[in-house]
Amino acid sequence: MSGCMAASDLMLVYRLYPSLFLDDLGLETSGNEVPDMMDEVRYEIDWLLKMQNSKTGMVYRGIQYETQEAEENATNPGRLVLQNEDDDSTAMFAATLAEFYLVYSEYDSSYATKCLRAAEKAWASLPKKLDNTQEQYFAAASLYNATGKVSYHNYVKTYRTQSSLSSLKKEIELRGDVMYLNSRRKVDTALCNEIMKEWMEKVEVLAKESNQNAYRVCGTTEDEIFDNLFYLTIINHVITNHEYGTVLGSHLHYFLGRNPEGISYFQDKGY
């Protein structure tokens, strides 16, 4: 799951601001006519492909030390073993590899297609009676964008009619919304309008909350602040707004050191 989230984060930023990412960072892969950040994403995708069960299509949650005692033994940590397969990891895998196909096809269509096939295999391995989970929603939105298949679109519409924006909305569901709103396929206009309406209402609340906060941020925990920052970033990209830009700047200052601990969360050092 964490690997999928990291890769998806990088791909989202790249899709929003492609001109910022060049092929000249001085890495081993620099100069191969692929943005260096996408080279790093591919490295993670290589790993994710190894986490798929080639027979079932399901995806392992990750790896761990065989025992707790082994993990705590720094000199001889012991053997690493695969964690169990589960539906959420499989759905996130499908979402991430379908998203990778969309971004990477222009650089290596053969490898990108391999990833799309793995994504569809993962989706097919999920229970026939799919749960209405945010992970499966993100997967369906990504796969619909990549393939245009009606079955994925139907899942997106069914899920979204049963979901509404609230304080309980999670980050992965937001990714599904972004994927659908930016789809290159034919979309349900009414559904897109409803998503945007909900987002605008949410962001207006967040902007007011920020103005009432001593640090000019929205939320009380790091995770909540990050989730709210996601809303603000996307909306400000769609509709450039001075107020939203100011709030975004305040969030950046917060993570760089204007926070109760007085440290940069990026470096764990003083401001």
Side-chain angles (χ1 to χ4, degrees):
M1 288 282 285
S2 58
C4 290
M5 293 288 282
S8 182
D9 280 342
L10 294 176
M11 287 187 286
L12 175 60
V13 175
Y14 176 74
R15 287 192 291 120
L16 293 180
Y17 305 101
S19 63
L20 297 180
F21 301 98
L22 306 177
D23 187 29
D24 59 357
L25 295 181
L27 306 179
E28 290 183 5
T29 55
S30 295
N32 64 353
E33 299 185 355
V34 177
D36 286 333
M37 189 176 76
M38 288 309 303
D39 286 323
E40 295 302 303
V41 172
R42 175 167 177 163
Y43 186 83
E44 180 62 30
I45 296 297
D46 286 340
W47 166 253
L48 292 176
L49 285 169
K50 296 175 183 177
M51 299 304 291
Q52 184 175 37
N53 185 320
S54 60
K55 294 181 179 179
T56 67
M58 292 287 287
V59 175
Y60 301 104
R61 289 190 295 117
I63 58 174
Q64 63 184 23
Y65 289 106
E66 194 167 17
T67 65
Q68 182 66 31
E69 292 76 15
E71 183 175 1
E72 295 171 354
N73 188 335
T75 58
N76 184 25
R79 193 165 66 104
L80 289 170
V81 295
L82 289 168
Q83 296 176 323
N84 293 334
E85 306 164 358
D86 68 29
D87 292 349
D88 288 348
S89 297
T90 300
M92 279 298 295
F93 173 94
T96 305
L97 269 74
E99 184 177 14
F100 182 76
Y101 168 82
L102 292 166
V103 176
Y104 206 73
S105 291
E106 65 177 295
Y107 303 115
D108 188 338
S109 60
S110 177
Y111 183 78
T113 299
K114 173 185 176 181
C115 292
L116 179 59
R117 289 172 179 163
E120 291 210 88
K121 184 175 183 178
W123 178 269
S125 73
L126 292 170
K128 296 301 180 184
K129 185 179 180 181
L130 294 172
D131 299 321
N132 288 322
T133 68
Q134 57 177 343
E135 290 83 8
Q136 290 176 11
Y137 170 59
F138 181 30
S142 298
L143 285 164
Y144 177 61
N145 199 342
T147 69
K149 293 182 179 179
V150 174
S151 58
Y152 299 132
H153 197 197
N154 288 340
Y155 182 92
V156 167
K157 291 187 287 186
T158 299
Y159 177 91
R160 208 51 182 72
T161 56
Q162 299 174 5
S163 171
S164 60
L165 201 61
S166 69
S167 60
L168 299 177
K169 198 175 185 79
K170 301 296 179 66
E171 181 184 357
I172 297 172
E173 187 173 316
L174 301 183
R175 294 166 188 269
D177 285 349
V178 173
M179 183 61 68
Y180 189 67
L181 290 173
N182 285 276
S183 180
R184 59 184 183 179
R185 308 293 178 177
K186 183 177 180 180
V187 296
D188 185 319
T189 304
L191 176 56
C192 289
N193 289 338
E194 182 62 27
I195 292 173
M196 284 302 302
K197 178 183 176 183
E198 291 177 358
W199 277 49
M200 290 299 297
E201 291 173 353
K202 174 71 173 181
V203 171
E204 284 298 315
V205 171
L206 293 178
K208 291 179 181 179
E209 181 181 333
S210 173
N211 289 331
Q212 298 170 358
N213 184 284
Y215 298 100
R216 296 294 187 265
V217 295
C218 319
T220 56
T221 67
E222 289 180 30
D223 287 344
E224 187 179 1
I225 293 171
F226 266 120
D227 283 352
N228 291 334
L229 185 56
F230 188 94
Y231 284 108
L232 290 162
T233 301
I234 298 299
I235 288 296
N236 191 59
H237 179 77
V238 176
I239 305 174
T240 303
N241 180 294
H242 176 72
E243 182 182 13
Y244 300 158
T246 301
V247 175
L248 285 171
S250 296
H251 281 72
L252 179 60
H253 285 300
Y254 182 87
F255 287 112
L256 285 173
R258 196 174 70 189
N259 55 60
E261 286 78 20
I263 63 171
S264 167
Y265 289 126
F266 300 120
Q267 298 181 326
D268 197 27
K269 295 179 180 178
Y271 194 70

